[in-house]
Amino acid sequence: MNGHHDHEEEQLGKALDFRLLRRMVRFARPYRLLFAAALLLAGGITVIELAMPYIVKMAVDSVLVLPWLEVQADAPPVAGAVPYDPGTFLVLGRHLSEPLRQALEEEGRVRRRFLVVSSAGAEAELARRYPEAFRLTPVGYAAPEEALREIPAADLLRLRLSAVQMLGVLTLAYIGFLVLRFLLTYGQVYTLQYAGQRILYDMRRAVFGHLLRLPMSYLDRQPVGRLVTRATNDVAAINEMFTQVLVRLLQDLLMVAGVLGIMFHLNVRLTLILLAFTPFILVLAFWFRERAREAYSAARRVLARINAYIAESLSGMGIIQLFRQEERSRKSFAEINQSFFRAQMRSITVYGVFGPVISVMQNLALALLIWYGGRGVLSGAFTLGALVAFTSYIRMLFQPMVNLSEQYNILQAAMVAAERIFGILDEPAEPTGAQSVPAVRGEIEFDHVWFAYNDEDWVLKDVSFKVAPGERVAIVGPTGSGKTTIIGLTLGFYRPQLGTVRVDGVDLREVDLRDYRRKLALVPQEVFLFSGDVAENIRMWDGVVPAEAAERAAKAVGVHDHLVQLPEGYRTQVKERGVRLSVGERQLLSLARAVAADPKFIVLDEATANIDSQTEAQVQEALERVMAGRTSIAIAHRLSTIRNADRVLVIHEGKLVEEGTVEELLARKGLFWALWQLQFAEDGGSSGS
Ligand SMILES: Nc1ncnc2c1ncn2[C@@H]1O[C@H](COP(=O)(O)OP(=O)(O)OP(=O)(O)O)[C@@H](O)[C@H]1O
Ligand SMILES: [Mg+2]
């Protein structure tokens, strides 16, 4: 059995579906304040990120590059210009308007850059020491850039003290922004992840809570692995959307808008040229993501197969070894393993190409920037600082576009997941009536019941019988005849397509099932023990059943002596630390569970099949006690159970073929007689009836 793993075709993406999106967002509504906070933080982070290259630009343009220009002109080109050589003026670069500056550059009138220091104080004194470099002008001592090369570094730094100080301030501002960005980013990630995890928690609770209420007829049709995937993986895929897409997308859009704004402000033409790259980047990114997604989901499909194969082999290891299938098993595994390896490598190759290709695109843009932008700086079309800032902004422009393709993938995956999850949540819960059955007397009636698990594949055909309160009824019949099915209908797990099942005269459809089930107990054909200790498994965590009742029940079915010998007695964990119970012991435990519930009527499904004859006698005695005064329906292959029944129903191929006491049925020499001959002849003979 490999029920634990998805047989699931990994579905590729799904187009945007706003109805689904709205339903998903509904889960986020309780946390909308957190999302708003994350969005606010996103705004802050974007502003900071935009500001950081600008600081670098400022450092370059207003500090590192000498601010004064020597301009050739007959008259002062702007106010504040001071004469230098005959026919030239010194001008502060930033005082020139952009068109004027460009005009001057094109006419070749801008000559050298100058350092100007105050004409008084320590700097002036220092400047006077280098008379061949500095000349006194109305704005202070001025020296052309090339003359500065003759001055020793230490003096130069002192001459440019204010610039050094400004550099310090800018560096501090840069570090300050770094710290702030770290804090805001941390806050944002935390807020988003917190909200995301809460949504995840809520969704898992909703899905599991709904699974608990689904009818058996639905659960029968679902592979367990698929439902497990719904409650875990699919929910996680939706969480991705909330944490990676919802806020990030807006943040990325904000970033693109901000970068474009600054870039256009710095230089329109350069920006337009670089924008020519965006279609390539977008197309490439989306094309690669598509390939990556296909490769990834192919790898996931094979991984599911590997998991299923390992799980199946582990649970059947005994059989594999016994039938010496190790070699075949190794071979099959090697095959799956190999295809997983290939799928992984494909996925890795796609990603391995994707990153570098995008990087090449970005660097091509950078190369263009250096070529075109460098010329611009040389011709004075824009500043060196702007060029430096552009190299950062260009990355900040392209990254969100690359992100966009990933976000689109996540969104599509979330759509698929959401469709599946809402598929479960929309599945109608087990229908139940409202009528409570206060004191179940235990009268069960099947009235012309027809039932099929699937369509018209009738498992029960026109079955009618009545069990009186306090009566003991045994059901016998060949394997697959529909005995367990009758019990499923009696407990309300399934509803008949035709006919009616009644309890105490009330149609089971009208009955409040939870209320009804509280009053009965089932000892199922396949024992199920929950992880938990032995006592809890007997009491079923029911506060109503007192602790001693577990022990009393265990004594009644004769498993007490064994249980106290377990390492921690009744507190022994059933599934942990290797404490395993034998199949017979499990059945006794299951029987004790029914006894402890002290039900009005009790349903047994071959509960005594795996018990030795000595224990069986003990159990029989316990059953006698449990069944006394209660209604009981027992599916039994055991002679003792059948013999003590008030009435025996014989089921064959979904039909009730015979009915009566053991003696009556044997006298008829029908199917029951034949079964009896086959199964119990020897047993019956030895008990010497
Ligand atoms: N959940 C289910 N979905 C579909 N078909 C089912 C389901 N459970 C049982 N069946 C089918 O219904 C028929 C009756 O099954 P049922 O379990 O009632 O037999 P049974 O009389 O209890 O047999 P056994 O003596 O082996 O326990 C079988 O053919 C079986 O394949
Ligand atoms: Mg059965």
Side-chain angles (χ1 to χ4, degrees), residues 563-580:
L563 292 179
V564 290
Q565 279 168 23
L566 292 172
E568 288 166 61
Y570 279 80
R571 295 259 79 92
T572 308
Q573 294 294 314
V574 169
K575 289 197 173 163
E576 283 162 24
R577 274 173 260 145
V579 179
R580 295 289 201 97

Side-chain angles (χ1 to χ4, degrees), residues 80 182 286 412 452 531 536 579 627 653:
F182 165 76
F286 274 88
Q412 284 189 311
S531 49
E536 283 166 342
V579 179
M627 290 177 172
E653 289 177 356

Side-chain angles (χ1 to χ4, degrees), residues 426-617:
D426 291 345
E427 196 60 42
E430 179 181 49
T432 174
Q435 195 164 336
S436 106
V437 272
V440 176
R441 285 177 297 130
E443 187 191 272
I444 304 293
E445 185 188 354
F446 272 54
D447 185 1
H448 297 285
V449 167
W450 288 75
F451 174 75
Y453 289 101
N454 306 309
D455 304 326
E456 300 266 292
D457 207 352
W458 299 113
V459 173
L460 294 184
K461 298 163 200 157
D462 197 27
V463 172
S464 293
F465 65 87
K466 208 166 178 173
V467 181
E471 195 181 12
R472 283 182 61 174
V473 169
I475 302 179
V476 297
T479 283
S481 54
K483 304 183 294 296
T484 302
T485 305
I486 288 183
I487 285 184
L489 266 79
T490 308
L491 301 179
F493 283 143
Y494 305 94
R495 285 182 165 188
Q497 276 85 354
L498 287 171
T500 317
V501 178
R502 294 193 188 88
V503 51
D504 290 355
V506 184
D507 187 340
L508 208 49
R509 276 177 253 252
E510 313 289 319
V511 167
D512 178 349
L513 286 175
R514 281 180 58 79
D515 184 61
Y516 164 60
R517 288 172 185 163
R518 196 174 299 141
K519 282 148 189 155
L520 56 85
L522 166 72
V523 181
Q525 193 163 11
E526 279 173 48
V527 178
F528 190 85
L529 297 181
F530 291 92
S531 49
D533 66 27
V534 167
E536 283 166 342
N537 262 291
I538 297 179
R539 290 170 60 202
M540 287 305 287
W541 297 270
D542 193 346
V544 183
V545 181
E548 319 83 68
E551 212 172 306
R552 230 181 303 128
K555 276 182 183 147
V557 301
V559 75
H560 172 77
D561 290 341
H562 178 78
L563 292 179
V564 290
Q565 279 168 23
L566 292 172
E568 288 166 61
Y570 279 80
R571 295 259 79 92
T572 308
Q573 294 294 314
V574 169
K575 289 197 173 163
E576 283 162 24
R577 274 173 260 145
V579 179
R580 295 289 201 97
L581 302 164
S582 75
V583 179
E585 287 154 6
R586 283 159 179 262
Q587 288 200 336
L588 289 174
L589 216 61
S590 173
L591 194 58
R593 184 187 280 168
V595 171
D598 190 20
K600 285 285 182 223
F601 90 93
I602 189 163
V603 179
L604 277 99
D605 197 347
E606 295 185 303
T608 57
N610 291 298
I611 300 173
D612 63 74
S613 15
Q614 191 198 334
T615 316
E616 192 198 334

